[in-house]
Amino acid sequence: MGGSASLLPREALGEYQELTFLTKQEILLAYKRFSELLPKEERENACSARVPKSQILTLPELRANPFQHRICRVFSTSGNGDDSMSFEDFLDMLSVFSDSATLDIKSHYAFRIFDFDEDGTLDRSDLEKLVDCLTGQGEESRLSNAEMEQLIQNILEESDIDKDGTINLSEFQHVISRSPDFVSSFKIVL
Amino acid sequence: ASMSTNGSLTFISFFSFALQSFRRFGNTLSEYFHLLWFWHRALKIIGANFGTSVLSYFIFLKWLLTFNIFSFLINFSFIIIPQFVAAEPNNLSFTGLELLTGAGYFQQTVLYYGFYTNATIHKIENGPSYNMQLAYIFTVGLYFVICFFTLLFSMAKSFCKNFMDLQTYSGNASKILCTWDFNISNEKAVKLKQKNLSTQIKVQNAGEVRNFSVKERAVHVVIHLVSWIASLGTAVAACAGVYFLSINNLKVRTDFGESQAAMLVLPIVASLLNAFIPFFYSWLGCLERYQTPGYHVYVTIIRNIILKISIVGILCYYWVNVVAESESQCWETLVGQDIYRLVLVDFIFCLLGSFFGEFLRRIIGTTFCVSLGLPEFDIGRNVLDLIYAQTLTWIGILFSPLLPGIQFISFSIVFYVKKVSLMMNCQPPRKVWKTAQMTTSFMFLLFFPSFVGVLSVIGVTVWRLKPSEECGPFRGLSSMYAAVSEWIKTLENHTASKWVVWIYHNLITSVLFFFILSMGKPSPTCAKRTRRAGQLESPDTALSITCLV
């Protein structure tokens, strides 16, 4: 841990502390874990390197997460759609999932993660895919079509306030605000 | 007289300097996260495998650890070290049994109140002196004040954050949008959680609210009533048992002396009651079949807390009314020893409980009776055990200043043992556990019956009970509080300290007045004291007025 502190420049460390919700120790730990994902030759320039998605998904914190692909897609700033992440994308992700991030930020990013077709609202297909992620793909735990229909019907009845058949960001945040456990469960800590 | 004032002022300046440097030290310490690395790592592994609900127990345990280490550090710095300087030699013999009974050799050590001197300690001629009486009462008092505000503040913060849940329970289906626990990173745990969620959804979809007939509702009400009577009856029976056992304890002690294994009977019985009656309550809860599972959890927790607080309450009543009035030489040390034994036996039972409750249960669940499966970690029961142990420790601080240090070590061992047992034996929780709501409730339980009860007991001890004549820092005084009032009287003669006297008369005594008012019924000892108090000055007249009310 002492070694990586000398690799990350002090000004960058200060800047990252300003821009994210992470503490100094968390940023240093993130740097260490990020460099371990890179091949040895690229570790010197970890700040500017990009890690391919397959490598990111080897992290134990993301490996078993049902939303791993959506997380990589949402936080990656890669222009060519390969969902690779730079160190700053990585810090961004950890910042949103950290202890100190506010409910607003978390609900905003949760909405983006659950918006599978990225059209800005959660429509029926988004909700179906979401429920599939939550219940898993196994034979026993998968919901039948009828059960899925009923569940989505119930969800839309309860949360779709303007009755347009989709859940927009403010309706989603309204649901989130009624669940105080959300902040502590929407957390990934290295 | 001037020496003691000098000593008191030096004590105050030393205290504030120490507090400042302690805070600075604490800040630099938290930057070296290597030291906190063990906790961080352990908590992360628990969260990754079992989720936020089980994690909340370990976070609560860690929070209690900070209360104990803080108490130990200030006791050690301000009471124990000066006592070491002024210690008398200990010529009692040491046998192994004393580690369990806390008697014998330990009576003449810093472990108990009785060993502390009431003198003003001088080490250097004409140098600063250290008033042990003031140090003792101020250290303990300051610790409780800090605890009070910390608990109040944490509780308020937690309550505000989780206020949402108190609104009308609207809609289960949409909660599915925010239930996924991103902490879980173990594959098996993820699959298990997905299966549980799927079951939950299917049950939710299928279960409509049945309209019960009048007859069925009446039967339900009768069953609830019977269960409540059974649980309260068990609690009362347990208290009666503990009370009679403690009276018997006193007789054994006066007849046969201290260092007997027989002294362990009371703590063992108390711990057995605390260990087995909760299972009876859980069984009652299963019989009752509540409509919402959340309600079942709350009822079981309320019954358990009533049991535990009654047992602690009856013990306090016994200590304050029987032991303090007994003819023994040093009643505070007797109380300290009782508490030491209770804490130690409770710790041993906690470890045994882990072994039998989780390890053996897993062996049974996997080899003999496979339908049972792996045990789940019972968060509610374990947190209430922690609250019980912490209540005992808080009561014991006045009588045994080393006790928080002992409890810190025991809680650390419990943390480690529970974590290992959890990883080895348990499966992740199947039912929904509203973590935020339950954590707030547990903090509230720690504050309201537990801490406030402790404050009342300590308050009664400090203001109304007469300290022993022959031992401890308050020997010969009419009450422990008299040390402070006498000090204020000496300060009145010095113009430099008039502000302290002003604060005392206008703020503290009026607060005390209201506190004593709220403590309720006058006891027979109080009636005795009012007759004596007629001869003393103003603060005690306030006391006598409230006693007659």
Side-chain angles (χ1 to χ4, degrees), chain A residues 1 25 60-61 65-66 114 130 133-135 140-141 147 150 154 158 177-178 181 184-187 189-190, chain B residues 31 33 40 44 162 164 170-171 173-178 180 182-183 185 190 194 198 202 205 435-436:
Chain A
M1 257 161 284
Q25 291 95 336
E61 291 83 4
N65 196 316
F114 295 156
L130 172 62
C133 278
L134 289 175
T135 57
E140 313 177 317
S141 47
E147 287 164 345
Q150 192 182 354
N154 288 343
E158 287 165 12
S177 68
R178 282 188 273 140
D181 283 323
S184 50
S185 51
F186 196 75
K187 209 189 320 184
V189 179
L190 283 183
Chain B
E31 279 183 4
F33 76 107
H40 177 87
K44 178 161 176 227
N162 306 325
M164 305 307 149
S170 52
S174 41
K175 299 259 177 179
I176 220 86
L177 293 176
C178 23
W180 185 257
F182 282 75
N183 280 302
S185 57
V190 166
Q194 286 174 327
S198 157
K202 290 181 187 164
N205 274 354
T435 309

Side-chain angles (χ1 to χ4, degrees), chain B residues 351-527:
Chain B
L351 298 181
L352 286 179
S354 240
F355 179 75
F356 287 108
E358 287 162 14
F359 178 63
L360 283 187
R361 168 78 178 69
R362 170 179 77 114
I363 305 271
I364 295 174
T366 45
T367 43
F368 298 121
C369 187
V370 194
S371 57
L372 274 180
L374 292 173
E376 277 178 33
F377 187 78
D378 193 338
I379 305 170
R381 193 166 49 85
N382 280 300
V383 172
L384 289 181
D385 282 339
L386 289 181
I387 294 179
Y388 171 75
Q390 187 58 44
T391 313
L392 286 176
T393 313
W394 273 332
I395 297 175
I397 290 181
L398 187 62
F399 304 105
S400 170
L402 215 46
L403 197 65
I406 297 172
Q407 189 67 294
F408 176 78
I409 296 173
S410 97
F411 272 168
S412 309
I413 297 177
V414 164
F415 186 102
Y416 181 69
V417 166
K418 288 278 177 193
K419 170 177 169 280
V420 166
S421 170
L422 181 76
M423 301 298 296
M424 259 180 42
N425 303 323
C426 297
Q427 60 167 323
R430 272 171 296 185
K431 298 209 194 74
V432 169
W433 176 267
K434 298 192 188 129
T435 309
Q437 202 180 20
M438 297 311 291
T439 308
T440 316
S441 314
F442 290 135
M443 273 192 209
F444 175 71
L445 288 175
L446 186 68
F447 179 73
F448 175 57
S450 168
F451 188 72
V452 170
V454 167
L455 281 184
S456 328
V457 171
I458 299 289
V460 167
T461 311
V462 167
W463 272 290
R464 293 191 180 179
L465 294 183
K466 184 160 166 46
S468 321
E469 296 282 343
E470 293 159 34
C471 68
F474 301 105
R475 62 192 91 169
L477 296 175
S478 61
S479 72
M480 293 187 195
Y481 187 69
V484 175
S485 38
E486 281 179 14
W487 176 60
I488 292 289
K489 265 186 237 140
T490 58
L491 277 192
E492 271 166 7
N493 302 331
H494 295 263
T495 43
S497 339
K498 278 263 189 272
W499 60 274
V500 181
V501 184
W502 184 89
I503 292 180
Y504 176 78
H505 281 305
N506 293 308
L507 296 176
I508 299 183
T509 34
S510 49
V511 168
L512 292 179
F513 182 75
F514 287 117
F515 181 64
I516 296 172
L517 253 186
S518 66
M519 280 204 307
K521 58 159 183 69
S523 59
T525 42
C526 187

Side-chain angles (χ1 to χ4, degrees), chain B residues 9-207:
Chain B
L9 288 174
T10 323
F11 170 72
I12 291 180
S13 47
F14 171 65
F15 194 81
S16 56
F17 168 70
L19 205 62
Q20 272 180 11
S21 32
F22 182 73
R23 212 181 304 141
R24 246 179 276 137
F25 177 67
N27 285 337
T28 41
L29 202 66
S30 62
E31 279 183 4
Y32 292 93
F33 76 107
H34 308 282
L35 290 141
L36 304 175
W37 186 245
F38 167 69
W39 301 113
H40 177 87
R41 192 96 205 113
L43 290 176
K44 178 161 176 227
I45 293 175
I46 295 168
N49 287 296
F50 293 90
T52 349
S53 51
V54 173
L55 187 61
S56 66
Y57 164 80
F58 289 90
I59 293 179
F60 191 78
L61 177 51
K62 192 172 143 224
W63 190 53
L64 288 183
L65 274 167
T66 55
F67 280 112
N68 286 315
I69 193 66
F70 176 61
S71 171
F72 173 67
L73 286 175
I74 58 171
N75 281 354
F76 193 73
S77 329
F78 295 113
I79 311 180
I80 298 182
I81 290 188
Q83 180 55 39
F84 274 135
V85 164
E88 291 150 20
N90 186 350
N91 35 22
L92 296 173
S93 62
F94 179 78
T95 65
L97 189 62
E98 272 131 6
L99 283 174
L100 280 180
T101 58
Y105 178 78
F106 284 129
Q107 253 178 308
Q108 294 287 352
T109 59
V110 290
L111 183 56
Y112 295 119
Y113 167 100
F115 183 60
Y116 290 83
T117 174
N118 69 336
T120 311
I121 304 169
H122 299 265
K123 256 314 184 200
I124 317 163
E125 276 305 310
N126 294 329
S129 63
Y130 194 79
N131 188 329
M132 195 57 171
Q133 291 184 337
L134 293 181
Y136 203 96
I137 201 170
F138 279 144
T139 310
V140 173
L142 190 75
Y143 171 71
F144 278 117
V145 166
I146 293 179
C147 267
F148 179 79
F149 286 113
T150 311
L151 278 175
L152 207 60
F153 180 68
S154 309
M155 214 176 61
K157 200 165 73 154
S158 186
F159 189 77
C160 287
K161 222 173 20 156
N162 306 325
F163 183 72
M164 305 307 149
D165 245 353
L166 293 184
Q167 290 171 353
T168 49
Y169 191 65
S170 52
N172 322 354
S174 41
K175 299 259 177 179
I176 220 86
L177 293 176
C178 23
T179 47
W180 185 257
D181 193 346
F182 282 75
N183 280 302
I184 303 182
S185 57
N186 178 325
E187 275 197 42
K188 267 198 290 198
V190 166
K191 287 211 175 26
L192 204 63
K193 188 151 177 83
Q194 286 174 327
K195 197 155 72 100
N196 291 336
L197 262 174
S198 157
T199 319
Q200 200 189 325
I201 294 173
K202 290 181 187 164
V203 163
Q204 238 170 42
N205 274 354

Side-chain angles (χ1 to χ4, degrees), chain A residues 108-134:
Chain A
H108 179 89
Y109 275 91
F111 185 77
R112 280 183 63 189
I113 289 174
F114 295 156
D115 187 7
F116 285 80
D117 51 16
E118 294 180 350
D119 61 355
T121 60
L122 299 182
D123 53 19
R124 285 195 109 90
S125 59
D126 287 329
L127 290 175
E128 269 181 33
K129 293 204 195 88
L130 172 62
V131 175
D132 269 334
C133 278
L134 289 175

